[in-house]
Amino acid sequence: MLLETFRWMERQGGLAAIEKRNGEKAKAIYDAVDESGGFYKGTVSDKAARSHMNLTFKLPSDELTDKFIKEASAKDMVALKGYRTVGGIRASIYNGMPVEGCQLLATHMREFAKKNA
């Protein structure tokens, strides 16, 4: 299993390429949070400490969170519900998640905020 993972990493351009892509993926989503005018609030206040694998944020209410998850699910974006103890949204964007998937989520976030602000 580990050997296959290393081979996959090599096909992706190596560790540096994966790190760069992960930064781009996280930036797409965090930009949607940061540019939302407070509609979305990151659960990690120190931007330097934000995860590039599990991105968490909250919406203004639980009702909007449920609506966001339902609408995202209709667009084939699943498993966005946050931790039980924290709530909100948790987007897990591990190495295998393509950049396009993160861009799709960021677009959904912007559209949702515009319709529900």
Side-chain angles (χ1 to χ4, degrees):
M1 179 93 141
L2 192 56
L3 179 59
E4 290 303 316
T5 300
F6 289 147
R7 287 177 177 159
W8 177 85
M9 290 173 70
E10 284 180 355
R11 289 192 304 271
Q12 304 309 306
L15 191 56
I18 291 171
E19 180 181 21
K20 181 179 181 220
R21 187 170 56 249
N22 286 344
E24 292 170 6
K25 295 184 316 187
K27 183 178 182 332
I29 297 169
Y30 284 132
D31 282 353
V33 170
D34 295 339
E35 296 167 2
S36 73
F39 185 81
Y40 301 109
K41 293 188 189 312
T43 55
V44 177
S45 58
D46 180 2
K47 290 182 181 183
R50 287 174 164 175
S51 173
H52 281 193
M53 294 292 144
N54 288 296
L55 289 64
T56 57
F57 57 92
K58 291 189 172 191
L59 284 81
S61 70
D62 289 339
E63 293 78 22
L64 282 173
T65 300
D66 292 342
K67 184 177 179 185
F68 179 93
I69 292 169
K70 184 176 182 180
E71 289 183 14
S73 180
K75 297 177 182 179
D76 295 325
M77 292 179 273
V78 297
L80 290 170
K81 189 170 182 161
Y83 297 107
R84 285 178 294 168
T85 56
V86 178
I89 303 296
R90 181 181 120 213
S92 294
I93 58 168
Y94 293 99
N95 293 333
M97 169 62 77
V99 173
E100 295 80 15
C102 297
Q103 292 168 337
L104 181 65
L105 177 57
T107 298
H108 174 66
M109 291 170 67
R110 287 185 176 97
E111 291 170 355
F112 188 87
K114 192 174 187 178
K115 289 189 304 186
N116 294 282

